[in-house]
């Protein structure tokens, strides 16, 4: 990975940012930093490591997000991440779900900044990879700017130089994880202030960012922008990132070419027994806002059954072409 981090990333999202989605996104943007779903340290240490952490080289630059609170376990996970070829390891200090709280990791760790610092220090000692932290602006009543600044200061003293800040607080009780993504108000100014107060740290902002113009606006103040649900619901949103933010001399890929480039990948995985839907479910929004989008989504959804392969995507593309020509489908 380049020494200068990407200024745009796609957030780690459970049941979203698996290897198939990431491969698909790489056909849209090469510059954007991608993340795995959050994987617990216990799963990494004792689970099917290849299934949980396997990825295609095309997905890089790629960060592994891990959840846990035991420094030595996380150190071992950092070593594994480096051995497997990841470009970064990120500690989740933002997830508010009850199951995560029960394991004493995620957002509740914001109340234990020294423990997070101990985890970061152990991980940094175990790997040459960048060790980064994703967190909220606060939790429950511990949500003053001073609380946020104290958390970042303590963790930074352990050697963390990059922080991704979800600009909402988390309620550990009373709100579901989904509600925690929308109900607490966005407080972008807290993240801006953090960057002003800590110019030596790399500060990335996350939360409620759905357009390229919004991202560009944030980049005038902070170092990087992380896009979450919008990257999944409107993936072509990132088609101009390489040129506009990465300053690369490339043209945005055409949607048709993106879909065609997925065919060999689909052939590879379906021949190994993977159900087509495991891949095409990530492609449903490729034509979001375009003529024929509903036809595309419906055909893929209804025909991505067991035993189906790339021909389903090819047929869906033909139906889209018929729409553009004004033909009945």
């Amino acid at each position: 990975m380049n020494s200068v981090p990407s200024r745009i990333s796609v957030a780690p999202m459970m049941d979203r940012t698996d290897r198939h989605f990431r491969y698909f996104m790489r056909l849209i943007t090469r510059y954007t930093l991608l993340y795995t779903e959050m994987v617990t340290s216990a799963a990494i240490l004792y689970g099917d490591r290849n299934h949980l952490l396997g990825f295609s080289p095309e997905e890089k630059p790629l960060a592994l997000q891990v959840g846990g609170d035991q420094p030595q376990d996380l150190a071992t996970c950092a070593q594994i991440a480096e051995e497997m070829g990841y470009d970064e390891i990120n500690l989740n200090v933002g997830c508010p779900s009850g199951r995560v709280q029960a394991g004493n990791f995620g957002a509740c760790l914001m109340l234990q900044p020294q423990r997070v610092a101990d985890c970061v220090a152990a991980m940094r000692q175990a790997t040459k990879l960048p060790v980064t932290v994703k967190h909220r602006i606060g939790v429950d009543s511990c949500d003053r700017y001073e609380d946020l600044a104290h958390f970042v200061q303590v963790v930074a003293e352990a050697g963390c130089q990059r922080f991704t800040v979800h600009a909402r607080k988390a309620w550990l009780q009373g709100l579901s994880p989904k509600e925690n993504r929308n109900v607490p108000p966005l407080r972008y100014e807290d993240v801006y202030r953090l960057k002003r107060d800590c110019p030596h740290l790399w500060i990335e902002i996350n939360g409620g960012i759905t357009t390229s113009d919004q991202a560009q606006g944030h980049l005038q103040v902070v170092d990087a922008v992380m896009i979450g649900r919008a990257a999944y619901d409107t993936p072509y949103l990132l088609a101009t990132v390489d040129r506009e933010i990465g300053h690369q001399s490339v043209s945005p890929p055409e949607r048709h070419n993106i879909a065609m480039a997925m065919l060999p990948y689909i052939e590879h995985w379906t021949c190994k027994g993977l159900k087509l839907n495991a891949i095409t479910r990530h492609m449903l929004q490729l034509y979001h806002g375009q003529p024929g989008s509903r036809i595309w989504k419906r055909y893929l959804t209804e025909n991505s059954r067991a035993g189906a392969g790339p021909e389903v995507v090819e047929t869906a593309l033909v139906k889209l072409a018929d729409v553009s020509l004004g033909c009945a489908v």
Side-chain angles (χ1 to χ4, degrees):
M1 184 176 177
N2 294 334
S3 57
V4 178
S6 301
R7 300 197 73 199
I8 192 86
S9 68
V10 173
M13 293 177 279
M14 296 302 294
D15 197 40
R16 297 289 190 275
T17 54
D18 65 16
R19 64 184 303 167
H20 307 304
F21 172 73
R22 299 191 306 258
Y23 187 93
F24 169 61
M25 286 304 303
R26 270 295 165 248
L27 299 174
I28 298 174
T29 170
R30 293 294 311 164
Y31 173 77
T32 303
L33 176 63
L34 302 180
Y35 283 80
T36 67
E37 303 169 86
M38 182 188 70
V39 188
T40 67
S41 57
I44 294 172
L45 296 178
Y46 307 112
D48 183 342
R49 198 169 295 166
N50 186 60
H51 173 72
L52 292 168
L53 303 183
F55 64 89
S56 302
E58 292 86 352
E59 297 169 39
K60 291 163 66 70
L62 179 61
L64 169 64
Q65 190 187 63
V66 62
D69 73 329
Q70 297 299 313
Q72 190 53 54
D73 288 350
L74 290 167
T76 303
C77 291
Q79 291 174 331
I80 292 169
E82 183 173 350
E83 291 168 0
M84 294 193 69
Y86 281 91
D87 299 292
E88 172 186 316
I89 185 161
N90 176 269
L91 182 63
N92 183 311
V93 190
C95 181
S97 80
R99 290 177 61 188
V100 165
Q101 290 180 55
N104 194 44
F105 60 96
C108 66
L109 283 178
M110 285 203 72
L111 301 173
Q112 306 169 61
Q114 188 56 54
R115 190 174 192 87
V116 176
D118 292 343
C119 292
V120 166
M123 295 163 77
R124 290 189 70 247
Q125 189 172 7
T127 182
K128 296 178 181 178
L129 297 180
V131 177
T132 64
V133 174
K134 185 177 188 294
H135 57 96
R136 297 283 185 133
I137 57 172
V139 292
D140 296 339
S141 59
C142 185
D143 68 337
R144 302 173 306 155
Y145 173 77
E146 291 75 13
D147 299 318
L148 169 63
H150 174 69
F151 172 83
V152 170
Q153 178 184 356
V154 172
V155 178
E157 287 174 354
C160 183
Q161 294 295 303
R162 288 163 48 190
F163 295 82
T164 298
V165 189
H166 187 156
R168 287 186 175 94
K169 64 183 287 184
W171 284 106
L172 299 182
Q173 304 293 331
L175 292 182
S176 69
K178 181 179 180 180
E179 290 169 330
N180 262 300
R181 292 195 298 268
N182 301 290
V183 174
L186 287 160
R187 288 162 44 184
Y188 292 138
E189 183 54 41
D190 283 7
V191 187
Y192 295 166
R193 182 178 174 185
L194 182 67
K195 178 58 189 178
R196 290 195 298 269
D197 292 348
C198 305
H200 59 292
L201 298 178
W202 181 273
I203 303 297
E204 181 175 45
I205 196 167
N206 171 231
I209 302 164
T210 60
T211 70
S212 178
D213 286 346
Q214 289 172 351
Q216 293 280 10
H218 289 300
L219 288 173
Q220 303 307 306
V221 187
V222 296
D223 298 296
V225 169
M226 175 179 279
I227 299 179
R229 289 306 193 263
Y232 195 87
D233 296 337
T234 55
Y236 199 72
L237 166 71
L238 296 173
T240 59
V241 160
D242 294 12
R243 183 179 63 193
E244 294 178 357
I245 297 178
H247 303 295
Q248 300 175 2
S249 300
V250 293
S251 299
E254 295 183 5
R255 289 178 172 87
H256 177 87
N257 292 341
I258 293 167
M260 289 296 293
M262 284 297 294
L263 299 182
Y265 183 83
I266 291 171
E267 177 73 20
H268 169 79
W269 280 99
T270 54
C271 285
K272 295 178 67 171
L274 184 72
K275 186 177 178 181
L276 178 60
N277 177 61
I279 300 175
T280 54
R281 71 188 183 97
H282 300 308
M283 302 170 60
L284 296 179
Q285 299 296 335
L286 176 60
Y287 285 89
H288 176 83
Q290 300 297 301
S293 175
R294 291 179 62 185
I295 292 170
W296 166 261
K297 288 189 288 187
R298 183 173 67 243
Y299 192 83
L300 290 185
T301 300
E302 293 177 352
N303 293 278
S304 294
R305 58 180 66 92
E311 70 281 352
V312 172
V313 175
E314 292 177 295
T315 302
L317 288 171
V318 170
K319 290 181 174 294
L320 277 175
D322 289 341
V323 169
S324 66
L325 293 172
C327 302
V329 294

